[in-house]
Amino acid sequence: MIDIPEFSIMKEGVNYKYYIDGKWKNSNSGKLISVYNPYNSELVGNVQACTKEEVDNIIKIAHKNIECWRDTPLNERTNAINKAADLIVEFSEPLGYLLMKEIGKPLNSALSEITRTAEIFRATADSSFQLSGETILGDVFEGFSREKVSMTYRVPLGVILCIGPFNYPFNLTGSKIAPALLAGNSIVMKPPTQGPLTALHFGIILEKAGVPPGIFNIITGRGSEIGDYLTSHPGIDMIAFTGSSQTGKHLAKVAGMKPLLLELGGKDAAIVLDDADLDNTVKAIVSGAFSFSGQRCTAVKRVLPMPAIADDLLKKVTEETLKLSIGNPAENKKIGPLISSEQCEYVQSLIDDALKKGATLICGNKREGNVIWPTILDNVTVDMRIAWEEPFGPVLPFIRINSAEKAIEISNKSEYGLQGMIFTENIDLAFNIAQELEVGTVQINGQSSRGPDHFPFLGTKSSGLGTQGIKYSIEAMSRNKVVVINLSERGKLVKQCFTIDK
Ligand code: NAP
Ligand code: G3H
């Protein structure tokens, strides 16, 4: 890892500071939280365990500076976001390397997480027209005239709390920061404790890009210690959160009447009909199930194959899965460590439960350190936990079905509703099934995934609240401001109206 002089201010040795009002500080708690590489347990860095008093201060600072950024012309805010995109690209290699180390993501995927974030920043800057309003005349309703004119324009919400998950700690904080800044808000960011280091670099990047001190601030600390205090804080005007459904639901209870954008868990099912293109389907399922070792909300988490294709599909998916390289993320192995040993134990408990209840082990079920071999289970039934729970690990259950109706029933019975997939050559049927699936997005002949990032991305049921995606996030992080002008009759032009004599 190359140590970059620009970033030296944010840490002493491996101890990273938190960022408030343009300054890097140590917490008064005197406590640090260690971040270890999940592959080899080496220490990557320590972050500050901030106190509630520091939460108060950071929110106070973010509030104090609201007007300065809100009143900055939109073209200047846009320039800063574009400049930040340039800086993210400039530093993408060391940032990607650090990201690989702190969360165990394969190096190439870590690098693309960084560059994808730069693209989101650029596309957000290009979307500044989303902040325009409209003018409406009053004479639609009887009793109102055109002298009543409503003018709406978009204004920021205030201080936005951005909380990201461990699996995309840079990208899924960045995708909140860019629209929040464009809309003129100030920000308090809380990165995940398992993977906070790369995201801390937003402090330096945004400062260099010209975002004034106090507009963007970063607090670090465990969600279990400062999370409720942050989310229930009256100084927070909106929360943009990505993480587990459990934390998301809890947050919604404690947050009170604040606007929320919640992107939560998923249990995306791939329905494979008899006439599916086998090669395309296999490619989508293997990549969808096992990239980043299944630690994606949009991972393919269940396969529901029809009888005529089930055996061939299982055979080919297994062949391709057995080709996946396993090991060190620094060497770009496809399957790497899960984020923690607790997570490995949870995944193992799902495999054990399925095997105990009669599922057939096709491959995998092996563990070394935090690495779990990609595991395929056949003959999974609805009484098994793996049919419903989100493993966030490399486990793929096959639940054989015998009708499209059964596939819809099993898909919809899930508490989650992020995405669904249908693989078939029959587009009419695919469209009809898509209408029935209770999910945010249905992919036809493709794997479930969030991107491209200007598409709307949302979940139903326990999978989320609100819609993410560049245009939609800008909308969620701003509101209408309405000014109604009541024009006086005095200025009205007296017009001659002609009627035609018949
Ligand atoms: P998590 O445990 O819910 O943590 C997410 C974030 O919430 C972390 O920053 C965490 O901080 C914070 N947090 C924890 N308790 C909190 C509280 N009481 N108040 C406020 N914040 C709190 O989720 P994760 O393990 O990082 O991510 C995995 C989960 O996220 C999976 O379920 C996955 O499906 C979901 N996910 C969904 C999407 C999507 O877009 N739908 C994207 C990525 C991930 P600490 O780390 O300090 O605890
Ligand atoms: O983990 C949840 C992410 O939103 C998934 O994003 O589909 O681009 O991997 P992705």
Side-chain angles (χ1 to χ4, degrees):
M1 156 111 181
I2 319 145
D3 250 334
I4 312 166
E6 278 95 335
F7 294 151
S8 59
I9 189 173
M10 63 191 289
K11 57 179 186 155
E12 279 161 20
V14 287
N15 295 347
Y16 287 75
K17 302 178 182 184
Y18 77 104
Y19 185 64
I20 172 170
D21 206 10
K23 296 177 203 74
W24 293 93
K25 288 193 175 174
N26 289 318
S27 167
N28 290 333
S29 74
K31 290 190 202 148
L32 295 169
I33 305 170
S34 298
V35 181
Y36 297 102
N37 181 328
Y39 180 67
N40 56 19
S41 304
E42 98 184 4
L43 180 70
V44 190
N46 297 307
V47 291
Q48 306 294 319
C50 291
T51 62
K52 290 180 180 167
E53 198 188 347
E54 285 157 347
V55 168
D56 286 335
N57 289 340
I58 214 163
I59 295 173
K60 204 180 328 160
I61 287 295
H63 258 284
K64 198 176 128 205
N65 288 287
I66 280 175
E67 282 167 24
C68 132
W69 188 241
R70 184 195 65 193
D71 296 343
T72 299
L74 183 53
N75 67 78
E76 287 176 30
R77 300 206 298 261
T78 301
N79 288 343
I81 294 168
N82 269 323
K83 180 84 195 342
D86 294 343
L87 290 163
I88 293 171
V89 172
E90 185 182 331
F91 298 123
S92 57
E93 270 195 41
L95 289 175
Y97 193 73
L98 179 62
L99 181 61
M100 178 274 294
K101 290 216 291 186
E102 67 171 333
I103 61 165
K105 186 172 268 196
L107 185 55
N108 282 343
S109 309
L111 288 167
S112 10
E113 174 170 342
I114 306 293
T115 48
R116 178 178 178 179
T117 310
E119 284 161 20
I120 291 179
F121 269 63
R122 253 191 255 293
T124 304
D126 287 347
S127 301
S128 56
F129 62 88
Q130 298 290 350
L131 288 167
S132 53
E134 60 182 353
T135 304
I136 309 170
L137 303 181
D139 60 345
V140 169
F141 281 85
E142 203 180 323
F144 294 95
S145 72
R146 290 185 186 191
E147 275 66 48
K148 196 178 261 303
V149 183
S150 149
M151 290 191 300
T152 63
Y153 47 100
R154 306 293 297 179
V155 294
L157 298 179
V159 178
I160 300 199
L161 174 63
C162 300
I163 304 180
F166 81 81
N167 65 336
Y168 276 99
F170 192 76
N171 181 268
L172 281 171
T173 43
S175 65
K176 299 169 177 51
I177 293 167
L181 285 178
L182 184 86
N185 299 284
S186 57
I187 296 170
V188 173
M189 178 186 98
K190 195 211 93 61
T193 300
Q194 290 175 310
L197 305 178
T198 318
L200 274 168
H201 290 72
F202 276 120
I204 304 277
I205 287 168
L206 292 170
E207 192 175 313
K208 281 173 80 73
V211 175
I215 300 303
F216 176 73
N217 308 278
I218 312 172
I219 192 109
T220 51
R222 291 190 192 283
S224 53
E225 284 167 19
I226 54 167
D228 287 3
Y229 194 70
L230 264 169
T231 52
S232 62
H233 202 289
I236 294 294
D237 299 302
M238 189 254 181
I239 303 172
F241 170 88
T242 303
S244 64
S245 299
Q246 193 188 0
T247 310
K249 284 178 186 174
H250 170 77
L251 184 154
K253 273 192 204 138
V254 300
M257 227 176 99
K258 298 184 176 82
L260 299 176
L261 187 53
L262 305 180
E263 300 293 340
L264 311 175
K267 187 71 186 171
D268 300 356
I271 300 172
V272 187
L273 303 185
D274 290 336
D275 65 346
D277 171 335
L278 200 56
D279 288 341
N280 172 51
T281 309
V282 169
K283 220 163 112 194
I285 288 178
V286 174
S287 155
F290 297 121
S291 52
F292 194 29
S293 304
Q295 297 175 108
R296 293 165 55 241
C297 58
T298 47
V300 177
K301 295 188 180 124
R302 300 182 283 175
V303 180
L304 310 180
M306 288 288 276
I309 202 168
D311 288 341
D312 282 350
L313 181 71
L314 178 65
K315 184 165 166 279
K316 286 207 165 205
V317 166
T318 308
E319 279 167 12
E320 290 308 307
T321 300
L322 290 172
K323 290 181 194 162
L324 297 172
S325 54
I326 298 168
N328 194 347
E331 293 164 10
N332 266 316
K333 301 293 183 199
K334 296 274 184 217
I335 302 288
L338 297 192
I339 194 68
S340 64
S341 58
E342 293 78 22
Q343 186 59 24
C344 292
E345 274 134 37
Y346 172 66
V347 170
Q348 189 62 52
S349 76
L350 294 177
I351 300 173
D352 292 346
D353 172 77
L355 294 178
K356 201 172 82 198
K357 290 177 181 157
T360 312
L361 178 68
I362 303 297
C363 64
N365 194 20
K366 174 180 166 188
R367 175 180 170 187
E368 266 175 27
N370 284 343
V371 180
I372 293 191
W373 264 239
T375 300
I376 297 178
L377 299 167
D378 190 18
N379 299 312
V380 167
T381 49
V382 293
D383 58 329
M384 300 173 188
R385 287 169 56 203
I386 192 67
W388 309 111
E389 292 181 37
E390 182 187 38
F392 235 58
V395 185
L396 183 62
F398 274 62
I399 308 174
R400 293 176 179 241
I401 42 134
N402 49 23
S403 69
E405 288 76 14
K406 194 70 192 167
I408 294 165
E409 183 195 315
I410 293 175
S411 295
N412 287 349
K413 219 168 162 191
S414 170
E415 69 158 299
Y416 297 105
L418 194 56
Q419 297 207 344
M421 289 148 278
I422 305 161
F423 292 91
T424 177
E425 297 289 277
N426 185 340
I427 293 302
D428 291 343
L429 178 57
F431 195 76
N432 284 330
I433 297 174
Q435 303 290 342
E436 301 296 323
L437 295 178
E438 293 161 5
V439 294
T441 304
V442 179
Q443 304 270 354
I444 297 176
N445 294 326
Q447 72 183 74
S448 38
S449 67
R450 170 166 46 117
D453 291 303
H454 64 304
F455 281 13
F457 180 57
L458 68 155
T460 64
K461 302 189 272 185
S462 294
S463 289
L465 210 61
T467 303
Q468 207 177 259
I470 288 162
K471 164 183 157 184
Y472 311 92
S473 301
I474 296 170
E475 226 169 76
M477 293 177 178
S478 59
R479 66 175 171 85
N480 278 321
K481 175 71 184 262
V482 185
V483 177
V484 178
I485 303 180
N486 294 279
L487 296 169
S488 104
E489 296 279 320
R490 274 176 291 141
K492 205 173 174 186
L493 285 177
V494 181
K495 282 192 247 159
Q496 186 79 48
C497 289
F498 297 96
T499 48
I500 301 166
D501 279 339
K502 290 201 178 148

mmCIF file of all heavy atoms in Angstrom, residues 35-39 44 98-106 110 113 165-169 192 194-196 292 295 329 337-339:
data_model
loop_
_atom_site.group_PDB
_atom_site.id
_atom_site.type_symbol
_atom_site.label_atom_id
_atom_site.label_comp_id
_atom_site.label_asym_id
_atom_site.label_seq_id
_atom_site.Cartn_x
_atom_site.Cartn_y
_atom_site.Cartn_z
ATOM 1 N N VAL A 35 -9.604 -2.501 13.403
ATOM 2 C CA VAL A 35 -10.135 -3.085 12.165
ATOM 3 C C VAL A 35 -9.107 -4.106 11.665
ATOM 4 O O VAL A 35 -7.958 -3.753 11.398
ATOM 5 C CB VAL A 35 -10.335 -1.989 11.083
ATOM 6 C CG1 VAL A 35 -10.906 -2.583 9.805
ATOM 7 C CG2 VAL A 35 -11.210 -0.862 11.614
ATOM 8 N N TYR A 36 -9.531 -5.373 11.588
ATOM 9 C CA TYR A 36 -8.617 -6.441 11.167
ATOM 10 C C TYR A 36 -8.990 -6.940 9.779
ATOM 11 O O TYR A 36 -10.182 -6.996 9.420
ATOM 12 C CB TYR A 36 -8.698 -7.623 12.155
ATOM 13 C CG TYR A 36 -8.264 -7.259 13.556
ATOM 14 C CD1 TYR A 36 -9.207 -7.024 14.562
ATOM 15 C CD2 TYR A 36 -6.910 -7.138 13.864
ATOM 16 C CE1 TYR A 36 -8.813 -6.684 15.851
ATOM 17 C CE2 TYR A 36 -6.501 -6.791 15.158
ATOM 18 C CZ TYR A 36 -7.461 -6.565 16.146
ATOM 19 O OH TYR A 36 -7.071 -6.213 17.409
ATOM 20 N N ASN A 37 -7.983 -7.330 9.021
ATOM 21 C CA ASN A 37 -8.202 -7.958 7.720
ATOM 22 C C ASN A 37 -8.905 -9.306 7.948
ATOM 23 O O ASN A 37 -8.371 -10.176 8.653
ATOM 24 C CB ASN A 37 -6.826 -8.163 7.052
ATOM 25 C CG ASN A 37 -6.916 -8.783 5.683
ATOM 26 O OD1 ASN A 37 -7.808 -9.588 5.409
ATOM 27 N ND2 ASN A 37 -5.980 -8.429 4.813
ATOM 28 N N PRO A 38 -10.114 -9.480 7.391
ATOM 29 C CA PRO A 38 -10.846 -10.724 7.674
ATOM 30 C C PRO A 38 -10.188 -11.960 7.065
ATOM 31 O O PRO A 38 -10.531 -13.082 7.431
ATOM 32 C CB PRO A 38 -12.230 -10.493 7.051
ATOM 33 C CG PRO A 38 -12.077 -9.357 6.124
ATOM 34 C CD PRO A 38 -10.884 -8.556 6.544
ATOM 35 N N TYR A 39 -9.217 -11.753 6.154
ATOM 36 C CA TYR A 39 -8.556 -12.931 5.558
ATOM 37 C C TYR A 39 -7.428 -13.451 6.439
ATOM 38 O O TYR A 39 -7.328 -14.650 6.689
ATOM 39 C CB TYR A 39 -8.013 -12.577 4.171
ATOM 40 C CG TYR A 39 -7.318 -13.761 3.525
ATOM 41 C CD1 TYR A 39 -8.047 -14.891 3.147
ATOM 42 C CD2 TYR A 39 -5.926 -13.765 3.319
ATOM 43 C CE1 TYR A 39 -7.416 -15.991 2.583
ATOM 44 C CE2 TYR A 39 -5.297 -14.869 2.752
ATOM 45 C CZ TYR A 39 -6.048 -15.976 2.388
ATOM 46 O OH TYR A 39 -5.426 -17.070 1.840
ATOM 47 N N VAL A 44 -5.416 -3.584 10.307
ATOM 48 C CA VAL A 44 -5.354 -2.641 9.175
ATOM 49 C C VAL A 44 -5.361 -1.209 9.706
ATOM 50 O O VAL A 44 -4.753 -0.317 9.138
ATOM 51 C CB VAL A 44 -6.532 -2.863 8.203
ATOM 52 C CG1 VAL A 44 -6.336 -2.053 6.921
ATOM 53 C CG2 VAL A 44 -6.691 -4.334 7.853
ATOM 54 N N LEU A 98 -6.653 -0.505 0.152
ATOM 55 C CA LEU A 98 -7.065 -0.425 1.559
ATOM 56 C C LEU A 98 -8.425 -1.112 1.761
ATOM 57 O O LEU A 98 -8.633 -1.854 2.734
ATOM 58 C CB LEU A 98 -7.150 1.055 1.971
ATOM 59 C CG LEU A 98 -7.586 1.358 3.397
ATOM 60 C CD1 LEU A 98 -6.605 0.768 4.408
ATOM 61 C CD2 LEU A 98 -7.712 2.870 3.625
ATOM 62 N N LEU A 99 -9.323 -0.893 0.816
ATOM 63 C CA LEU A 99 -10.657 -1.503 0.898
ATOM 64 C C LEU A 99 -10.548 -3.032 0.866
ATOM 65 O O LEU A 99 -11.212 -3.736 1.640
ATOM 66 C CB LEU A 99 -11.516 -1.004 -0.271
ATOM 67 C CG LEU A 99 -12.949 -1.503 -0.339
ATOM 68 C CD1 LEU A 99 -13.730 -1.081 0.892
ATOM 69 C CD2 LEU A 99 -13.652 -0.970 -1.586
ATOM 70 N N MET A 100 -9.700 -3.528 -0.019
ATOM 71 C CA MET A 100 -9.479 -4.974 -0.105
ATOM 72 C C MET A 100 -9.032 -5.514 1.252
ATOM 73 O O MET A 100 -9.514 -6.545 1.723
ATOM 74 C CB MET A 100 -8.421 -5.244 -1.183
ATOM 75 C CG MET A 100 -8.025 -6.689 -1.379
ATOM 76 S SD MET A 100 -6.721 -7.231 -0.274
ATOM 77 C CE MET A 100 -5.333 -6.277 -0.818
ATOM 78 N N LYS A 101 -8.118 -4.760 1.894
ATOM 79 C CA LYS A 101 -7.585 -5.257 3.170
ATOM 80 C C LYS A 101 -8.616 -5.193 4.290
ATOM 81 O O LYS A 101 -8.696 -6.076 5.135
ATOM 82 C CB LYS A 101 -6.355 -4.435 3.580
ATOM 83 C CG LYS A 101 -5.163 -4.700 2.675
ATOM 84 C CD LYS A 101 -3.852 -4.684 3.403
ATOM 85 C CE LYS A 101 -3.459 -3.313 3.882
ATOM 86 N NZ LYS A 101 -2.102 -3.323 4.458
ATOM 87 N N GLU A 102 -9.415 -4.134 4.308
ATOM 88 C CA GLU A 102 -10.291 -3.980 5.483
ATOM 89 C C GLU A 102 -11.558 -4.825 5.407
ATOM 90 O O GLU A 102 -12.138 -5.155 6.442
ATOM 91 C CB GLU A 102 -10.619 -2.512 5.771
ATOM 92 C CG GLU A 102 -11.464 -1.822 4.742
ATOM 93 C CD GLU A 102 -11.916 -0.436 5.201
ATOM 94 O OE1 GLU A 102 -12.033 -0.186 6.407
ATOM 95 O OE2 GLU A 102 -12.168 0.405 4.317
ATOM 96 N N ILE A 103 -12.021 -5.185 4.194
ATOM 97 C CA ILE A 103 -13.230 -6.024 4.152
ATOM 98 C C ILE A 103 -13.019 -7.355 3.432
ATOM 99 O O ILE A 103 -13.941 -8.154 3.316
ATOM 100 C CB ILE A 103 -14.457 -5.282 3.554
ATOM 101 C CG1 ILE A 103 -14.201 -4.851 2.104
ATOM 102 C CG2 ILE A 103 -14.894 -4.124 4.419
ATOM 103 C CD1 ILE A 103 -15.489 -4.460 1.376
ATOM 104 N N GLY A 104 -11.822 -7.578 2.895
ATOM 105 C CA GLY A 104 -11.539 -8.863 2.242
ATOM 106 C C GLY A 104 -12.215 -9.023 0.897
ATOM 107 O O GLY A 104 -12.489 -10.139 0.461
ATOM 108 N N LYS A 105 -12.472 -7.897 0.218
ATOM 109 C CA LYS A 105 -13.081 -7.966 -1.126
ATOM 110 C C LYS A 105 -11.967 -8.203 -2.140
ATOM 111 O O LYS A 105 -10.901 -7.577 -2.030
ATOM 112 C CB LYS A 105 -13.793 -6.627 -1.403
ATOM 113 C CG LYS A 105 -14.584 -6.579 -2.687
ATOM 114 C CD LYS A 105 -15.404 -5.288 -2.791
ATOM 115 C CE LYS A 105 -16.798 -5.438 -2.240
ATOM 116 N NZ LYS A 105 -17.737 -4.392 -2.623
ATOM 117 N N PRO A 106 -12.171 -9.070 -3.156
ATOM 118 C CA PRO A 106 -11.120 -9.281 -4.152
ATOM 119 C C PRO A 106 -10.637 -7.939 -4.719
ATOM 120 O O PRO A 106 -11.454 -7.039 -4.975
ATOM 121 C CB PRO A 106 -11.812 -10.117 -5.234
ATOM 122 C CG PRO A 106 -12.953 -10.777 -4.542
ATOM 123 C CD PRO A 106 -13.380 -9.851 -3.444
ATOM 124 N N ALA A 110 -12.670 -4.488 -5.419
ATOM 125 C CA ALA A 110 -12.475 -3.331 -4.536
ATOM 126 C C ALA A 110 -12.156 -2.099 -5.382
ATOM 127 O O ALA A 110 -12.701 -1.012 -5.154
ATOM 128 C CB ALA A 110 -11.361 -3.615 -3.534
ATOM 129 N N GLU A 113 -15.234 -0.920 -6.996
ATOM 130 C CA GLU A 113 -16.117 -0.199 -6.062
ATOM 131 C C GLU A 113 -15.711 1.276 -5.991
ATOM 132 O O GLU A 113 -16.566 2.168 -5.945
ATOM 133 C CB GLU A 113 -16.068 -0.842 -4.655
ATOM 134 C CG GLU A 113 -16.854 -0.017 -3.650
ATOM 135 C CD GLU A 113 -17.094 -0.652 -2.291
ATOM 136 O OE1 GLU A 113 -16.955 -1.884 -2.148
ATOM 137 O OE2 GLU A 113 -17.436 0.113 -1.363
ATOM 138 N N PRO A 165 -23.054 0.130 4.904
ATOM 139 C CA PRO A 165 -22.805 -1.242 5.360
ATOM 140 C C PRO A 165 -21.353 -1.674 5.098
ATOM 141 O O PRO A 165 -20.647 -1.015 4.348
ATOM 142 C CB PRO A 165 -23.745 -2.049 4.462
ATOM 143 C CG PRO A 165 -23.690 -1.312 3.151
ATOM 144 C CD PRO A 165 -23.474 0.153 3.480
ATOM 145 N N PHE A 166 -20.979 -2.813 5.666
ATOM 146 C CA PHE A 166 -19.594 -3.260 5.520
ATOM 147 C C PHE A 166 -19.272 -3.734 4.107
ATOM 148 O O PHE A 166 -18.117 -3.737 3.697
ATOM 149 C CB PHE A 166 -19.284 -4.398 6.520
ATOM 150 C CG PHE A 166 -19.754 -5.749 6.055
ATOM 151 C CD1 PHE A 166 -19.004 -6.488 5.147
ATOM 152 C CD2 PHE A 166 -20.964 -6.282 6.489
ATOM 153 C CE1 PHE A 166 -19.448 -7.720 4.698
ATOM 154 C CE2 PHE A 166 -21.408 -7.509 6.031
ATOM 155 C CZ PHE A 166 -20.641 -8.224 5.125
ATOM 156 N N ASN A 167 -20.288 -4.168 3.337
ATOM 157 C CA ASN A 167 -19.956 -4.837 2.071
ATOM 158 C C ASN A 167 -19.669 -3.866 0.925
ATOM 159 O O ASN A 167 -19.049 -4.252 -0.055
ATOM 160 C CB ASN A 167 -21.053 -5.843 1.686
ATOM 161 C CG ASN A 167 -22.374 -5.171 1.385
ATOM 162 O OD1 ASN A 167 -22.638 -4.075 1.850
ATOM 163 N ND2 ASN A 167 -23.213 -5.821 0.608
ATOM 164 N N TYR A 168 -20.132 -2.640 1.038
ATOM 165 C CA TYR A 168 -19.792 -1.583 0.073
ATOM 166 C C TYR A 168 -19.551 -0.308 0.879
ATOM 167 O O TYR A 168 -20.269 0.682 0.697
ATOM 168 C CB TYR A 168 -20.955 -1.324 -0.883
ATOM 169 C CG TYR A 168 -21.059 -2.227 -2.092
ATOM 170 C CD1 TYR A 168 -21.926 -3.310 -2.107
ATOM 171 C CD2 TYR A 168 -20.318 -1.968 -3.248
ATOM 172 C CE1 TYR A 168 -22.052 -4.126 -3.220
ATOM 173 C CE2 TYR A 168 -20.440 -2.777 -4.373
ATOM 174 C CZ TYR A 168 -21.301 -3.844 -4.355
ATOM 175 O OH TYR A 168 -21.429 -4.644 -5.466
ATOM 176 N N PRO A 169 -18.566 -0.303 1.772
ATOM 177 C CA PRO A 169 -18.472 0.832 2.707
ATOM 178 C C PRO A 169 -18.129 2.153 2.034
ATOM 179 O O PRO A 169 -18.507 3.215 2.516
ATOM 180 C CB PRO A 169 -17.358 0.408 3.666
ATOM 181 C CG PRO A 169 -16.585 -0.625 2.944
ATOM 182 C CD PRO A 169 -17.519 -1.302 1.984
ATOM 183 N N PRO A 192 -19.429 1.919 8.568
ATOM 184 C CA PRO A 192 -19.559 0.700 9.355
ATOM 185 C C PRO A 192 -18.279 0.450 10.148
ATOM 186 O O PRO A 192 -17.198 0.830 9.703
ATOM 187 C CB PRO A 192 -19.743 -0.387 8.294
ATOM 188 C CG PRO A 192 -19.093 0.168 7.069
ATOM 189 C CD PRO A 192 -19.315 1.644 7.121
ATOM 190 N N GLN A 194 -16.962 -2.462 10.761
ATOM 191 C CA GLN A 194 -16.163 -3.443 10.026
ATOM 192 C C GLN A 194 -15.965 -2.895 8.611
ATOM 193 O O GLN A 194 -16.688 -3.254 7.688
ATOM 194 C CB GLN A 194 -16.895 -4.774 9.963
ATOM 195 C CG GLN A 194 -16.957 -5.457 11.317
ATOM 196 C CD GLN A 194 -17.790 -6.725 11.258
ATOM 197 O OE1 GLN A 194 -18.895 -6.718 10.762
ATOM 198 N NE2 GLN A 194 -17.251 -7.799 11.778
ATOM 199 N N GLY A 195 -15.008 -1.978 8.449
ATOM 200 C CA GLY A 195 -14.755 -1.406 7.117
ATOM 201 C C GLY A 195 -14.935 0.095 7.067
ATOM 202 O O GLY A 195 -15.528 0.611 6.115
ATOM 203 N N PRO A 196 -14.394 0.836 8.050
ATOM 204 C CA PRO A 196 -14.594 2.297 8.054
ATOM 205 C C PRO A 196 -13.475 3.084 7.364
ATOM 206 O O PRO A 196 -13.649 4.261 7.063
ATOM 207 C CB PRO A 196 -14.553 2.621 9.558
ATOM 208 C CG PRO A 196 -13.618 1.596 10.124
ATOM 209 C CD PRO A 196 -13.768 0.354 9.296
ATOM 210 N N PHE A 292 -18.199 -11.697 -4.448
ATOM 211 C CA PHE A 292 -17.897 -11.256 -3.077
ATOM 212 C C PHE A 292 -18.434 -12.282 -2.065
ATOM 213 O O PHE A 292 -18.980 -11.949 -1.022
ATOM 214 C CB PHE A 292 -18.430 -9.852 -2.791
ATOM 215 C CG PHE A 292 -17.863 -9.242 -1.518
ATOM 216 C CD1 PHE A 292 -16.616 -9.576 -1.039
ATOM 217 C CD2 PHE A 292 -18.594 -8.313 -0.792
ATOM 218 C CE1 PHE A 292 -16.094 -9.030 0.126
ATOM 219 C CE2 PHE A 292 -18.096 -7.738 0.382
ATOM 220 C CZ PHE A 292 -16.837 -8.117 0.837
ATOM 221 N N GLN A 295 -21.779 -11.915 -0.326
ATOM 222 C CA GLN A 295 -22.040 -10.830 0.643
ATOM 223 C C GLN A 295 -22.590 -9.599 -0.084
ATOM 224 O O GLN A 295 -22.023 -8.508 -0.022
ATOM 225 C CB GLN A 295 -20.758 -10.491 1.397
ATOM 226 C CG GLN A 295 -20.238 -11.655 2.241
ATOM 227 C CD GLN A 295 -18.892 -11.354 2.890
ATOM 228 O OE1 GLN A 295 -18.816 -11.152 4.096
ATOM 229 N NE2 GLN A 295 -17.842 -11.310 2.118
ATOM 230 N N PRO A 329 -7.839 -12.416 -1.143
ATOM 231 C CA PRO A 329 -8.408 -11.329 -1.952
ATOM 232 C C PRO A 329 -7.323 -10.498 -2.648
ATOM 233 O O PRO A 329 -7.554 -9.978 -3.738
ATOM 234 C CB PRO A 329 -9.157 -10.465 -0.936
ATOM 235 C CG PRO A 329 -9.260 -11.265 0.300
ATOM 236 C CD PRO A 329 -8.221 -12.326 0.263
ATOM 237 N N PRO A 337 -12.710 -14.374 2.203
ATOM 238 C CA PRO A 337 -13.244 -14.521 3.555
ATOM 239 C C PRO A 337 -14.604 -13.847 3.719
ATOM 240 O O PRO A 337 -14.904 -12.868 3.030
ATOM 241 C CB PRO A 337 -12.214 -13.777 4.397
ATOM 242 C CG PRO A 337 -11.687 -12.725 3.462
ATOM 243 C CD PRO A 337 -11.646 -13.360 2.118
ATOM 244 N N LEU A 338 -15.400 -14.367 4.642
ATOM 245 C CA LEU A 338 -16.570 -13.602 5.093
ATOM 246 C C LEU A 338 -16.064 -12.569 6.084
ATOM 247 O O LEU A 338 -14.944 -12.631 6.568
ATOM 248 C CB LEU A 338 -17.610 -14.528 5.724
ATOM 249 C CG LEU A 338 -18.210 -15.576 4.779
ATOM 250 C CD1 LEU A 338 -19.425 -16.231 5.421
ATOM 251 C CD2 LEU A 338 -18.598 -14.968 3.432
ATOM 252 N N ILE A 339 -16.914 -11.617 6.409
ATOM 253 C CA ILE A 339 -16.456 -10.444 7.164
ATOM 254 C C ILE A 339 -15.989 -10.787 8.591
ATOM 255 O O ILE A 339 -15.142 -10.121 9.141
ATOM 256 C CB ILE A 339 -17.548 -9.335 7.168
ATOM 257 C CG1 ILE A 339 -16.981 -7.999 7.638
ATOM 258 C CG2 ILE A 339 -18.774 -9.749 7.978
ATOM 259 C CD1 ILE A 339 -15.989 -7.379 6.700
#
